[in-house]
Every structure is written in structure tokens, then in C-alpha cells.
Amino acid sequence: MKFASHFRVAAIAAAVATLSACGSTDEAPSAPTYAALELNIAHINDQHSQLEAIPGVELTLDGVATQVDLGGFARQTTLFKQATAEKKNLLKLHAGDAVTGTLYYTFFKGEADARMMNTVCFDAFGYGNHEFDDGDGVLKNFLDQLYTADCQTAIVSANVVPEAGSPLAPSGTPVHKPYLIKTYDGVKVGIIGIDVAGKTKASSRPLAGTQFLDETTTAQKYIDELKGQGIKHIVLLTHQGYDNDKKLAAALTDVDVIIGGDSHTLLGDFTSFGLSSSGAYPTVLKNKDGGTVCIGQSWEYSKVFSLMNVKFDTQGAVASCAGNASVVIGDSFKRKNTAGTFVAVDDATKVALTAKLATDPRIKVTPPDTVAAGVLAGYTVQVEAQKAKVIGTATESLCLVRMPGETTNRSGGIAGCETANTLARGSDAAQVVAEAFLAASKRAHFALQNAGGVRTPISAGTLTMNTAFTVLPFSNVLVELDLTGAEMVQSLEDAVANYRDNASSDGSHPYAAGLRWDLDLSKARGSRFSNVQVKDRTTGVWSPIDLAKTYTVVTHDFAATGKDGYTTFGKVYAEGRYVNTYLLYTQTFADWLVARGGTVSRPLAADYSHQKVISAAGVALP
């Protein structure tokens, strides 16, 4: 028995040894390997028809307040051409909102923008919400001009689904594609376009049959589709805002890079130049898999040229991402003389300053591209006469803010607006626009202007028709709504809930004339606004709003019809409680300036709509 038992144990041991030996010869499946890749991405966003440089912008250069010409699309062309010549594997991207904002769009409806963009010849362009401002038909005309014999820019948008037979799908197939595939060093890279869904539907004028699908679900669908084709490297070209890009990165698998727009976000450290920003460039986060995601935005209005460098390892993952968002300026420098007046610097100072700035990648002193400048000149001559018409003077700068306390200063570089985004009063520009609306209405008790409808700050000095059309570039008319005090307060709550609760645009944030309030952004919907008061137009006396009383508010037709989250306004409009004045809101602003003698300044503190503001973090703003 002992012998038999020993034999069985020995046999079992031998079998185990044999199995172990067999196992040692079977290698575990190895992870696929990929060719290492270096990719360079040059990108801009939110151009908004700002094709000319913005003159007289004050930056701190070499520690001294200096006025410069900021941006200008012809300078962007120069930098894109330089990058094409100097950088390997260059991908040129435009993240949307190319149009709407200046007379170049008012008069030419995208033609001037398209011709300038063709001097760069972007690899891909993604829709922004403002591409739909004049409907799908006008957008289609713009896209047709981006596709020429010399430059065939791909239009990418995965979550925009036009109705068959509509302008964006005339033959049943959309004129855009969900993604573009580019090949670099034999390696394929997928570029997927994503437009902001809710904001475009609520804040622009797409056709009713044009669908806007969920951004996250759609992005993951096409990432998976590209993975199924063996494509490992994924770039999202988005237009949904910096915060939403960060959320999207965390919600998706296999995404490597997000190049975005919409929030007009400046990224990078520009404190030495007197500019505030909202984060690092590039912003580096993790995706749902734990892999690295590189995020970039390029501020606004052709002011910044961004160049991102991404290196992928042999596992197909992001090994590193680097680069700079660079502020683009001309070489015309002005500094204050002993009398405190900005004058041109001497030649020696100009040469020395240019040489010093050349060592800092965060700023680029750049000449305009001659070809692009020539293209623009053909349009400029047609708008100069209208632009030059003087309508008034601003005695001080009227700063632009959307939400009081926001991180990026939209008035960066405008003297007197250095801390505008941190103050409770918010937007001077939106406030005076509301004042103009109220003056234009003979029966309104108060006026409302949404923050996003005012596009630029107003610098101190001469105001022209170009100022009016740049500040208020849309084709809106004034509408008077009859509503109760309770409905007006609910409308204010709607506006803030649009971005605080509904993840939509903070362009809905309200400003008013003849109406003021305290606002606590840290509270829940329905309890954010308090101490709401109405100013009597005859006596000038402020008194609490009567929730049961019927008032008249004058606003533009966009907000009046419920756009930008103003759902209560939309309900009132749908019930027929309105009068359309048919007054063009831009002309109303210009007429108001002329009627008051052409001079405008910041309103009295008591007349600002925001009297007290507590931020979302619970901090009282000064």
C-alpha cells in the first residue's frame, strides 16, 4: 500500500511538472505595438469675423505699460505658414465660431472670413454655435467658399445631423463628415468634430429639422468606430467650452487630444503681460482609461496662435504634450511720455523690445502675411465709409464681463478693466446696452440684455458705427413683453440656471436697466435672486418689485422668444403677450448715443443691475 501510494503521489507530481513545463512555453498575448509618433497641432477658435488687428490694446511688455496692435488674421496666416515650414506632422485646426461679430460678417455673411481662412487652408473646421446664427442656408454658402480648388478644408461634425433635403444635406447626405482621418509617418490620426448641442439649439437659429446629438455619447461612438478601423490616435475638435472639454475628457475612453472653443478661454501664464487666464496650456488631464489627455483653446478674435506638440509612445498612448498659446501682436509699440500720453517708441527701443520678446514663446511679434493682407484689403475698402461714421465718445472704458467673478478677463488689455471680471457689478458694456433699450421703449418699465449678446468691451475714446456693430453684431430687433413681477424674477432665475444647472451657455447671464437685485450664485435655483427692485421712470425712486403686478420688459427678439434659456420669456411670447417694435437693436444703441449728445460713461453704482453678488464658491465680490 505504501508503494502504491508513493506511486500515485509521484505520478501526480510528474503530471503537475509536465503541465507547468507546458505552461512555461506558452507566452501570454502581448499588447499591440505602434510606431512612435510626434504630432504638432496649430489651432485657433472663436475668430468671430475679427479679421483686422485690434489697435491700442495695453499690455505689460518688459515691465512697462505698452499699447500694441493685437491679433489680425493676416498675422495668423504668417504664423500658420511658418509652422507648416518648420514643424513636422502639422495638423491645422479651427474650432468654430469663425463668423459673426464685425461688419465683415454683417456685409459679407462669411465670404470675407472664408477667403481669409483659405490663406491658412485648415485641415479641418468644426462648427460653432454661431455658424448657425443666420440659419443653415447661409452656413452652407460659407462652407462652399471654404472648399476651393486650392484649399479643401474638411468640415467635421459628428453630432450635427441635418434633415435630408435641407441646405446642409441637399442630396440626403450631410455636407460635413463625422471625422477626418490624416496619416503622418504612416500612422493614422482621427479627428472627430463635436458642436455644443444645447447652446446651439437655444442660442442660434438652426433649422428645426437639424438635430444636435449628445456630445459625450456621440464622441464615444465615433472613437469606438475609429478604434475598430485600427486607429489609435484620437483628436476631438470641439466647440463646447473649456469646462465642458475637461468633463468630456474624463467621461471618454481612448481620447488623446481635445482642441476646443466656445468659452473664449485664454490658457497659459500671461501674468507678466497683464492678462489673466483660466488654466495651463496645454491643460493635461486623464481620460476614463487613466490615459493622458491634452486640452487646448486659443482665446478669441485671432488674438492668439496656439501650437501643441504631442508625442505618442509605442503603446499608442500620449507620452507627453507641450507647447504654447502665443499672444500675437504687431511691432508698433506705444508708451506713455512725460505728459502721460501714449506715443510711438523710438527706433532703438523698438528694436530692443522686439529682440527681447523674441525669446519668449508666449508672445509673437508678427508681420501680416502679404497675400492675406491683400485679400482683406479688398473687403476693407467697402466697409470703411460705414465704419468711420462717428456716433459718440466714451469718457471711460466700458468693460465686458459675462458672469461676475469669472476667471478669464474678457476685457484683458483694456485700460481701466484690469480687474473687471472680479467685481460684483459685472459688465459695464451690457449695462449701457440695456440702458439704450430702455430709452428706446416708451412703455417699458425695465430692459434686459443677456451677457452673451454683447460681444466686445468699449474702450475709452471715439465711438463709431463700427463700435456699435462690433459690440452688437446680430440682426436682432427689440420686443416688449408684458409679464408679472413673479414671471420677471423667474426669468432671471432661468437665465442663471441655464449655465449653473443646465450646463449651457453663461451668455444667458442677465443685465438690466431699471431693475436691480442681489445675486447669490452659491444658492439653489429659485433662491439666487433677492431684493429685486424696480426704478420708477418718472420719479427715479427704487421700490421692491410687485410679484402680482404686470410690467413691461423690453429686450431683443432672441431672448424674448425663449432663446438662451429664457424659458419664461418664451412662454409669455408664445401666449401673445408682446409687441414687436421692429427696432434694430444695433441702430437703437447708436441712436441712443447720438440722442444723449454722443457721450457715454459707466452708470451710477445705484443703477447697476447687480448690487451685491456672492460667487458660486460663497465669496462676496467687491
Side-chain angles (χ1 to χ4, degrees):
M1 293 292 294
K2 289 183 179 179
F3 177 80
S5 176
H6 176 76
F7 179 82
R8 285 196 296 270
V9 171
I12 293 170
V16 171
T18 301
L19 289 172
S20 299
C22 290
S24 67
T25 61
D26 288 343
E27 296 182 0
S30 58
T33 59
Y34 301 84
L37 176 67
E38 179 179 350
L39 179 65
N40 289 293
I41 305 173
H43 61 98
I44 63 170
N45 55 269
D46 294 278
Q47 164 190 326
H48 285 293
S49 300
Q50 185 63 56
L51 303 177
E52 296 183 41
I54 304 170
V57 175
E58 186 176 321
L59 301 178
T60 303
L61 301 181
D62 198 20
V64 180
T66 309
Q67 283 189 348
V68 298
D69 292 338
L70 178 60
F73 198 91
R75 291 192 172 96
Q76 291 284 347
T77 303
T78 297
L79 292 169
F80 273 95
K81 286 183 176 180
Q82 286 179 359
T84 301
E86 298 171 2
K87 300 295 182 181
K88 63 180 295 186
N89 301 337
L90 184 69
L91 177 61
K92 297 177 291 183
L93 300 178
H94 194 308
D97 274 7
V99 298
T100 305
T102 72
L103 293 181
Y104 286 101
Y105 182 75
T106 302
F107 294 150
F108 304 113
K109 296 301 179 186
E111 177 186 321
D113 293 281
R115 288 199 62 197
M116 292 298 284
M117 289 167 67
N118 288 343
T119 65
V120 169
C121 197
F122 292 94
D123 293 303
F125 171 76
Y127 295 141
N129 53 295
H130 285 288
E131 265 68 61
F132 292 88
D133 279 352
D134 284 313
D136 297 30
V138 173
L139 171 56
K140 174 60 163 55
N141 292 336
F142 168 62
L143 300 180
D144 287 344
Q145 294 170 87
L146 285 178
Y147 197 86
T148 67
D150 297 326
C151 180
Q152 299 178 1
T153 296
I155 312 302
V156 292
S157 188
N159 68 321
V160 177
V161 183
E163 188 174 22
S166 69
L168 294 181
S171 63
T173 302
V175 297
H176 54 262
K177 303 295 183 184
Y179 53 74
L180 170 70
I181 299 173
K182 297 279 289 182
T183 303
Y184 299 96
D185 293 342
V187 179
K188 291 182 178 180
V189 177
I191 302 98
I192 302 170
I194 296 290
D195 189 18
V196 60
K199 181 178 181 180
T200 306
K201 288 185 290 185
S203 300
S204 291
R205 294 183 173 92
L207 291 177
T210 301
Q211 298 180 60
F212 294 83
L213 307 180
D214 179 76
E215 300 91 337
T216 305
T217 303
T218 306
Q220 190 65 65
K221 171 186 174 181
Y222 286 103
I223 289 172
D224 293 343
E225 182 172 313
L226 288 170
K227 281 176 59 184
Q229 299 176 36
I231 298 172
K232 176 66 174 173
H233 306 314
I234 305 295
V235 177
L236 296 185
L237 181 60
T238 69
H239 192 90
Q240 61 170 0
Y242 178 59
D243 288 340
N244 286 330
D245 281 344
K246 291 189 289 184
K247 293 175 184 176
L248 187 65
L252 297 175
T253 66
D254 299 288
V255 62
D256 299 307
V257 179
I258 301 177
I259 300 298
D262 184 53
S263 53
H264 296 229
T265 299
L266 178 62
L267 296 178
D269 183 2
F270 296 94
T271 52
S272 62
F273 301 122
L275 298 174
S276 59
S277 63
S278 299
Y281 184 93
T283 296
V284 182
L285 299 175
K286 296 295 182 181
N287 63 24
K288 193 174 181 180
D289 300 317
T292 298
V293 184
C294 313
I295 299 176
Q297 276 206 26
S298 202
W299 205 10
E300 61 183 6
Y301 308 147
S302 305
K303 296 174 181 177
V304 161
F305 170 79
S306 295
L307 185 61
M308 185 185 294
N309 177 267
V310 185
K311 293 180 180 177
F312 297 93
D313 61 24
T314 55
Q315 302 304 307
V318 174
S320 67
C321 53
N324 284 281
S326 303
V327 174
V328 180
I329 64 174
D331 64 354
S332 175
F333 306 117
K334 294 181 179 180
R335 288 177 169 173
K336 289 182 178 179
N337 59 16
T338 54
T341 303
F342 278 100
V343 297
V345 301
D346 57 49
D347 289 342
T349 301
K350 178 178 178 178
V351 170
L353 183 55
T354 301
K356 183 160 188 176
L357 293 176
T359 65
D360 193 329
R362 297 172 300 168
I363 197 160
K364 290 187 179 294
V365 181
T366 308
D369 176 78
T370 55
V371 173
V375 170
L376 183 59
Y379 292 97
T380 302
V381 70
Q382 300 177 59
V383 301
E384 283 304 317
Q386 286 295 325
K387 287 174 62 175
K389 183 179 178 181
V390 175
I391 57 174
T393 302
T395 60
E396 56 190 333
S397 296
L398 303 176
C399 311
L400 182 71
V401 177
R402 284 202 175 181
M403 175 186 66
E406 61 190 4
T407 55
T408 294
N409 187 355
R410 297 170 189 268
S411 305
I414 304 298
C417 296
E418 292 81 3
T419 61
N421 57 310
T422 69
L423 304 178
R425 73 171 190 254
S427 183
D428 306 318
Q431 187 68 43
V432 298
V433 167
E435 299 286 350
F437 289 0
L438 185 57
S441 174
K442 296 186 181 301
R443 69 188 194 95
H445 296 89
F446 36 77
L448 183 137
Q449 168 65 50
N450 63 315
V454 181
R455 305 306 295 178
T456 62
I458 301 173
S459 298
T462 300
L463 306 180
T464 65
M465 278 302 296
N466 182 56
T467 309
F469 276 102
T470 302
V471 172
L472 301 171
F474 307 113
S475 302
N476 292 329
V477 295
L478 298 188
V479 170
E480 297 167 341
L481 297 172
D482 296 326
L483 75 180
T484 66
E487 287 174 322
M488 188 63 227
V489 175
Q490 181 58 48
S491 297
L492 299 177
E493 292 281 358
D494 290 344
V496 171
N498 189 56
Y499 64 91
R500 289 287 293 142
D501 304 309
N502 301 338
S504 195
S505 171
D506 60 3
S508 61
H509 191 87
Y511 289 87
L515 190 71
R516 68 185 187 184
W517 53 74
D518 296 339
L519 172 62
D520 189 340
L521 291 168
S522 70
K523 290 187 175 181
R525 179 174 184 166
S527 58
R528 289 169 177 147
F529 286 84
S530 62
N531 197 26
V532 181
Q533 296 181 326
V534 180
K535 184 179 182 180
D536 188 289
R537 290 187 67 171
T538 301
T539 66
V541 175
W542 291 92
S543 59
I545 194 167
D546 185 340
L547 298 181
K549 179 180 176 179
T550 296
Y551 295 93
T552 298
V553 59
V554 60
T555 186
H556 51 72
D557 59 326
F558 191 72
T561 54
K563 298 289 188 179
D564 231 7
Y566 283 87
T567 52
T568 302
F569 275 6
K571 176 177 175 289
V572 171
Y573 188 92
E575 292 174 358
R577 291 186 275 152
Y578 73 91
V579 173
N580 192 332
T581 71
Y582 295 101
L583 295 172
L584 181 66
Y585 83 149
T586 309
Q587 191 65 52
T588 295
F589 180 62
D591 291 345
W592 174 73
L593 285 172
V594 173
R596 56 188 283 121
T599 301
V600 63
S601 57
R602 295 172 189 167
L604 297 173
D607 288 334
Y608 273 87
S609 46
H610 294 84
Q611 290 295 295
K612 296 179 182 179
V613 176
I614 295 175
S615 73
V619 177
L621 302 183

